Amino acid sequence: MADVTDATTARRAPTPDDAARLADSDQSGPMLAADGRPLKQSLQRALRREKLRALMLIAPLLLFVLVTFIAPIADMLFRSVENQIVGNTLPRTVEALADWNDDAEELPPEPVFRALFFDLFLAAEAKAHTRLGSRLNYETTGISSLFRSSGRRMDDVAEPFQDVLEQADPQFGDGAFWYRLMTGEGDADTSLLNDQRERLAALTREGMGGDIGFAPSAEIAALLPRAAREYSAFALFTARIDNDVVAEEDPWESVYVALALDLQDGGAERVQSYAGPGADALQAAAANADQLPVVDFREAFIEVDDGWGDRTNWETMKTYSPPFTSGYFLNSVDLQLTADGVEAREENQRIYVMLFQRTMFMSLVITFSCILLGYPVAWLLANLPMRTANLLMILVLLPFWTSLLVRTSAWKVLLQQQGVINDTLVWLGIVSDGGRLALINNQLGTIIAMTHILLPFMILPLYSVMKTIPPTYLRAAKSLGATNWTAFWRVYFPNSVPGIGAGSILVFILSIGYYITPELVGGTTGVFISNRIAYHISSSLNWGLAAALGTILLAAVLALYWVYDRMVGIDNVKLGG
Amino acid sequence: MTQQAPHDDFVVFDRVQKSYDGEILVVKDLNLSIARGEFLTMLGPSGSGKTTCLMMLAGFETATHGDIRLGGNAINNIPPHKRGIGMVFQNYALFPHMTVAENLSFPLEVRNMGKAEREGKITRALDMVQMGAFGGRRPAQLSGGQQQRIALARALVFEPELVLMDEPLGALDKQLRETLQFEITRLAHNLGITVVYVTHDQTEALTMSDRVAVFDDGRIQQLASPDTLYERPENSFVAQFIGENNTLSGTVVELADGKATVRLDSGDVIATTAVNVSAAGDRTLVSVRPERVEYNVERMKPDAFRLQAEVLEFIYMGDIYRTRVRVAGNDDFIIKTRNAPDQRRLKPGETIEIGWLPEDCRALDA
Ligand SMILES: Nc1ncnc2c1ncn2[C@@H]1O[C@H](COP(=O)(O)OP(=O)(O)O)[C@@H](O)[C@H]1O
Ligand SMILES: [Mg+2]
């Protein structure tokens, strides 16, 4: 500001016709500030600086909201479609399955089973196969036990190869020999190693970077691609997960299988010209290549568990192999993603649509009963003399100061079959002892207890709106000839609608996601969708489905909010003043 | 004026008392008759019970004791909406969720009037307050003055005989207030309605009313036409409250023929008109209007009473001079003189002689 004045006065003293000049200038062109810039531009600059300062002031809060609020929601949205576990755990199998035509009435071809052997072996070492089993079990029951039992028995599949190789040259039983063989001479094949780094990082979710004291030589990788690959995976796992020295450890059985397959697959000829470390042992093994067992992996797997011969399991694996899936959302609305596309679930498995409907319906009933009970109370609060109103306000707020569990339990005491209300009714002779009313562990119980718990959220916004309605409105209406009822209905009520709106939104949104009270007093017919979400989070551990259900709930709330905004206008909602 | 008004006692307060808490009487023994077509103003300081009286008349408060009659019938037990009394409030009390036209339509709808008839009346009422073009607006889109015009139209649209207004112009600025004062009186006069108007602004009361009831402490201190109130206040409260006033305290030494001789506390003895003193020996406040005091000896009437005064302050105010002098021990004695060519301008410290006629000098209660 100071330099602006200086600039003007420096040039010449202001004269009375300055104002006239200024007034003229907006006809001749854009208004100029004292420093010669267009006025608009310098105004914007000044405002921008101010805005930036304001933003910095709220930055900590913004960050807090972002971290504690936006981030979890984003995570939830992500989880509801995320399905990378299949691709991360069985990458080669997924790749091989892509070529399998699941319309044909056949099992996947041999390469798929081979890929599955290596994938499952590594997953079993990393103990990741059970996680994948649980995931796929959400879609087809039985897969969980299939993976658990098979993971353990991959060694059996490998055993015949190991015996033959060690007979051909006992050096194959020595970890240090394997290390020398694989390290070889000359350039290292870093891209092979890096591929394995990525794969293990995705599988184990551990860091796989850095020097592990091993890299396969490019020569060996060309000669024995499978063995080099599997040994690299073994080396990474040993160095990074087990924290051991690679050279001192005996390789996994899968490495023997890989070597055997390499030898059978033209490797026997290729190693004849090899002269690097361990060439003698390799050539001995190549000489005995015809003694290596020819294993049909498909049969071997079916022998391990005949679940592998069941096409449904394979279809499920193929359907859920992409990294993102709509499966959780489809499950949330009682549909199912199968190899043939989207299908309805079986009748007896459909629960979510019904639960969503029930949640909406009961939340509406609760909101409505809150309006019914809260309106008169709020009116009293706004119109009673100060002292009485304050006392009443304490009573309204009292529930806030009592534990939610205590309040809910109190309703149990009151409402149960042998509870206070039933006892009183029986004593009064209104109901017979045999015909005691079922007031709890059903929808009625949930509605009663939740109305009570959420009532303050209706009363407070209503009260704060009613407080701003001048009493002269009613007087004016009556002086104009309106009866008490007309004055209320045509003048007072319309002015209190913003309070009803605010209270209803609050109560409805709170109740739609309510969990504890329905859990305690809802029985089986009075539980909400949130109870199901909680079940999936803490018991079935199907977080993806829980996230999808939560996302649908969130979308429903936002949709309602939007509808409300279109109908009533969110500007009309007042929480205070 | 009072005497000319035809007194058929349209509104009557008959020994009305009101207490909110059972301990303090907010209205003490109110007796008041208002004629049909009269414009009566209740004037008084805040808390003197004006609104309470109005609310009892409208039916929003019940009288603790006494009768209120409207057109000869006791209305104590008639609910407000059946009284047919129009009301204008200080905060306008326009219904914010209705347009101007809907606001005006409201009293007609509750009277089950047909649509065509309603529309005719609304148009006429809006034209009456020069707001014909604003029927579709919401109250929030109008200025304060416009809102009050609408409130006025709404109170009049159902053609009540009696309209109550509780400080209707209190929230407006001075210029707007003056315009609306004029319009309200014009409307009231043209429509022949009876108006009970409440204000704490004496200028408003004096310019608008046929009669003014000056309230203080729950009582009517004086009920009279504006000129009577100003010229002949009956007690020192009214004298002080209405217009500017000089008071000198003293004791009555002689009382005869409506004339009282008063010995001021300074020792000076002056002749006054006895108004509110009963016997010699009474303490009294002598009241003189500033414009009735003269210091130009040539202009003084021969029978004027004279006193020595010392000039403390002299203010040139354009049309008048305002002089503050010390006289008979009172430092706040004000003299207002018209700016005229022969009028002398005084200097502080100067000693002058001031004087006034005994008729302009009233001995009131102390
Ligand atoms: N509703 C009420 N309850 C209790 N006391 C009231 C109420 N309304 C007014 N009063 C009291 O009555 C007295 C007169 O009030 P009011 O009639 O509003 O005076 P005015 O309108 O002349 O300012 C005041 O002392 C006020 O405090
Ligand atoms: Mg008042």
Side-chain angles (χ1 to χ4, degrees), chain A residues 470 472-484 486-487 490-492 494-495, chain B residues 55 60-61 81 85 87 89 91 93-98 106-107 109-111 154 158:
Chain A
T472 46
Y473 285 0
L474 274 184
R475 292 193 160 181
K478 284 186 219 170
S479 81
L480 294 171
T483 57
N484 284 340
T486 315
R490 297 231 12 224
V491 176
Y492 195 87
N495 281 296
Chain B
M55 289 303 154
F60 296 119
E61 297 290 351
H81 66 272
I85 299 176
M87 270 196 95
F89 297 84
N91 64 358
L94 293 175
F95 307 139
H97 58 294
M98 299 183 188
F106 183 82
E109 279 168 38
V110 298
R111 285 175 172 74
R154 189 180 65 176
F158 62 99

Side-chain angles (χ1 to χ4, degrees), chain A residues 475, chain B residues 18-21 24-27 42-55 61 166-167 198-200 215 218:
Chain A
R475 292 193 160 181
Chain B
K18 171 71 186 177
S19 172
Y20 284 107
D21 50 9
I24 301 164
L25 279 177
V26 171
V27 174
M42 294 177 172
L43 172 69
S46 176
S48 56
K50 311 178 297 285
T51 300
T52 306
C53 287
L54 212 63
M55 289 303 154
E61 297 290 351
D166 191 356
E167 313 211 14
V198 164
T199 182
H200 63 257
F215 271 66

Side-chain angles (χ1 to χ4, degrees), chain A residues 360-372:
Chain A
M360 293 284 161
F361 170 73
M362 284 176 64
S363 297
L364 277 179
V365 173
I366 289 163
T367 308
F368 193 71
S369 44
C370 277
I371 296 174
L372 230 55

Side-chain angles (χ1 to χ4, degrees), chain B residues 128-278:
Chain B
M128 200 164 66
V129 293
Q130 284 119 48
M131 293 289 290
F134 294 85
R137 296 245 194 130
R138 296 260 164 168
Q141 296 167 317
L142 300 176
S143 71
Q146 291 172 326
Q147 289 190 47
Q148 197 54 289
R149 280 168 198 261
I150 300 301
L152 195 61
R154 189 180 65 176
L156 296 174
V157 71
F158 62 99
E159 291 162 9
E161 285 184 279
L162 174 61
V163 177
L164 313 182
M165 305 190 192
D166 191 356
E167 313 211 14
L169 310 181
L172 304 178
D173 63 60
K174 188 164 175 293
Q175 214 167 352
L176 209 56
R177 214 157 57 211
E178 280 167 6
T179 328
L180 277 170
Q181 281 168 11
F182 171 72
E183 267 185 55
I184 291 174
T185 30
R186 182 180 58 84
L187 274 175
H189 189 76
N190 289 351
L191 298 172
I193 50 172
T194 311
V195 177
V196 180
Y197 191 96
V198 164
T199 182
H200 63 257
D201 179 343
Q202 42 144 326
T203 326
E204 201 166 290
L206 295 183
T207 52
M208 297 175 81
S209 327
D210 295 328
R211 282 195 302 163
V212 179
V214 181
F215 271 66
D216 186 41
D217 194 23
R219 278 182 210 284
I220 294 184
Q221 300 292 332
Q222 188 170 358
L223 172 63
S225 60
D227 54 340
T228 316
L229 272 187
Y230 188 81
E231 309 276 346
R232 295 197 294 279
E234 267 166 18
N235 55 40
S236 49
F237 175 80
V238 177
Q240 304 268 26
F241 193 74
I242 310 259
E244 211 168 356
N245 188 47
N246 292 310
T247 54
L248 298 167
S249 63
T251 315
V252 181
V253 283
E254 203 188 317
L255 187 66
D257 276 351
K259 304 241 181 283
T261 313
V262 174
R263 183 194 308 281
L264 299 180
D265 293 348
S266 60
D268 299 295
V269 177
I270 57 172
T272 66
T273 307
V275 180
N276 205 354
V277 288
S278 49

Side-chain angles (χ1 to χ4, degrees), chain A residues 120-255:
Chain A
L120 200 54
F121 192 97
L122 184 57
E125 288 296 332
K127 301 196 173 56
H129 63 300
T130 47
R131 242 189 302 134
L132 176 65
S134 313
R135 162 68 189 98
L136 291 175
N137 205 56
Y138 301 142
E139 314 303 339
T140 306
T141 37
I143 295 197
S144 177
S145 66
L146 177 63
F147 271 85
R148 203 170 332 108
S149 66
S150 310
R152 258 186 272 122
R153 297 190 48 197
M154 284 302 102
D155 299 354
D156 303 351
V157 179
E159 212 166 327
F161 299 98
Q162 193 175 358
D163 295 344
V164 174
L165 282 171
E166 283 181 12
Q167 271 167 21
D169 191 323
Q171 285 188 91
F172 282 117
D174 177 18
F177 162 76
W178 273 100
Y179 181 75
R180 257 183 291 122
L181 172 67
M182 288 297 157
T183 310
E185 283 169 338
D187 294 339
D189 188 342
T190 44
S191 78
L192 171 72
L193 187 64
N194 285 340
D195 284 351
Q196 293 309 305
R197 276 190 214 274
E198 259 173 51
R199 180 182 170 202
L200 265 94
L203 179 70
T204 60
R205 298 193 202 127
E206 305 268 350
M208 285 291 154
D211 180 25
I212 56 161
F214 167 79
S217 80
E219 198 178 4
I220 281 291
L223 280 180
L224 309 167
R226 292 190 187 84
R229 190 187 70 218
E230 291 308 310
Y231 191 84
S232 299
F234 155 77
L236 280 163
F237 196 90
T238 307
R240 284 283 166 267
I241 306 292
D242 296 343
N243 290 320
D244 288 324
V245 179
V246 181
E248 292 171 5
E249 298 298 314
D250 291 344
W252 291 333
E253 290 80 350
S254 63
V255 180

